[in-house]
Amino acid sequence: MVYKEDRAQQMRDDLEAAIGHYMVAVAGRLLDEGLPVSSVSSYGAYDDPSQDTFGADVEGSVEFTRSFRRAVFGEGRDAGLLWCGVSGWCFFCIPEGSGRTLMESARWMGGGLTPDPGRVAAFLSNVQLDAAHSGSDERPFYRAPHAEPISLLQRLAVFNADSRSAESSYYESRFACVQIDACQKRVVSALTAEKQEVVEVALRSGELQALLGFLEYVEGAAPRDDAREMARRLCSDLSLRARDGWEGLHEHREALTYAEEQR
């Protein structure tokens, strides 16, 4: 009995990891397209009877920043992408106080249980244009709940192909690297863009200090050396320019120099 339970727990853990890597693959594609993915999640308990209420078992999600959700889908809405191990991908958008469940608000992508990340990104693009009519409100069923977990694990294994290094063997660590990589690319692109105008921005001293504080946090918390170095240099540039004014515009440009080296 103990051995059987150990095997079941190992399967739960393996499914959670495999689903997590699938979520990271989709999140990476969305981040490459400039979308602000904030987190991913994974649930691998294929034998959890409490999921029977929803006709489901394992699942994963890709979540976005609150500002993105509010700007695209409206104030007070919980919105995101959910992957269901029975029915594949759906987009959900729940107005605050509506009393609706996720399943009641779901618009189902279709196209199979584990579609390519590019197809999921295309689905979300359609959602941004017309959330109410993208996909279908009819839920597809590709697999019976709790059934054939080994087969599902094999289907998901392809999305773990890029996780060979020790730093990316855990999907959480892999997502952190993918997220900061996308952010670094955007920062480098912005800093090295051609024909940049000099912009005057009025800041209170406290606001400037708050911004510098966030950059110091990134310097300490970012999972990659290049992101930490970029944050350090940008923080230094802004601090010195605030001290020297316009005269420091062309002198204090360590972040720009570093960005040019990164291209």
Side-chain angles (χ1 to χ4, degrees):
M1 178 66 75
V2 174
Y3 177 66
K4 183 177 180 180
E5 177 55 33
D6 287 345
R7 290 180 59 188
Q9 184 59 52
Q10 186 62 55
M11 179 57 68
R12 297 181 198 114
D13 293 343
D14 289 347
L15 278 170
E16 181 166 317
I19 294 165
H21 283 294
Y22 184 27
M23 298 303 104
V24 173
V26 171
R29 180 59 181 264
L30 296 173
L31 285 164
D32 285 344
E33 296 187 3
L35 295 176
V37 178
S38 60
S39 62
V40 297
S41 70
S42 175
Y43 183 71
Y46 68 97
D47 52 355
D48 182 359
S50 70
Q51 292 286 77
D52 292 343
T53 304
F54 310 104
D57 53 2
V58 297
E59 62 183 38
S61 69
V62 175
E63 299 162 17
F64 303 93
T65 61
R66 182 179 179 184
S67 59
F68 173 78
R69 298 198 309 266
R70 292 172 63 182
V72 178
F73 305 114
E75 195 81 27
R77 291 174 182 261
D78 184 15
L81 287 171
L82 176 78
W83 178 81
C84 168
V86 172
S87 303
W89 287 94
C90 72
F91 170 78
F92 65 91
C93 187
I94 309 172
E96 184 177 354
S98 68
R100 300 182 67 188
T101 66
L102 186 152
M103 289 298 182
E104 289 172 339
S105 71
R107 301 292 302 180
W108 294 94
M109 172 182 163
L113 187 59
T114 56
D116 180 84
R119 294 175 63 191
V120 182
F123 171 60
L124 185 60
S125 293
N126 291 332
V127 165
Q128 292 180 77
L129 294 174
D130 187 357
H133 298 97
S134 295
S136 172
D137 59 2
E138 291 190 23
R139 179 182 175 184
F141 291 90
Y142 304 114
R143 170 180 162 270
H146 317 304
E148 301 182 345
I150 295 177
S151 177
L152 178 60
L153 188 61
Q154 291 172 340
R155 293 186 65 167
L156 291 164
V158 64
F159 300 106
N160 195 15
D162 295 331
S163 304
R164 301 182 182 91
S165 65
E167 69 175 357
S168 60
S169 59
Y170 295 100
Y171 79 87
E172 298 94 338
S173 299
R174 184 180 168 201
F175 173 71
C177 291
V178 167
Q179 188 180 39
I180 197 64
D181 184 57
C183 179
Q184 181 79 353
K185 288 178 180 176
R186 289 199 294 271
V187 169
V188 169
S189 177
L191 285 171
T192 58
E194 297 182 0
K195 298 180 180 179
Q196 295 186 47
E197 298 179 358
V198 177
V199 179
E200 292 189 69
V201 179
L203 290 176
R204 295 180 176 86
S205 59
E207 292 171 330
L208 176 61
Q209 290 304 313
L211 178 59
L212 297 178
F214 272 116
L215 287 171
E216 289 176 355
Y217 170 77
V218 173
E219 182 188 351
R224 286 183 20 183
D225 290 341
D226 54 355
R228 291 194 291 270
E229 181 63 12
M230 181 67 78
R232 185 195 69 79
R233 293 190 181 211
L234 191 56
C235 183
S236 175
D237 287 346
L238 294 178
S239 179
L240 292 171
R241 287 184 193 179
R243 183 196 67 188
D244 297 343
W246 278 84
E247 294 180 359
L249 179 64
H250 299 293
E251 180 180 356
H252 306 303
R253 40 171 289 162
E254 288 189 29
L256 174 56
T257 300
Y258 190 66
E260 291 173 339
E261 294 171 353
Q262 299 298 303
R263 286 197 300 180

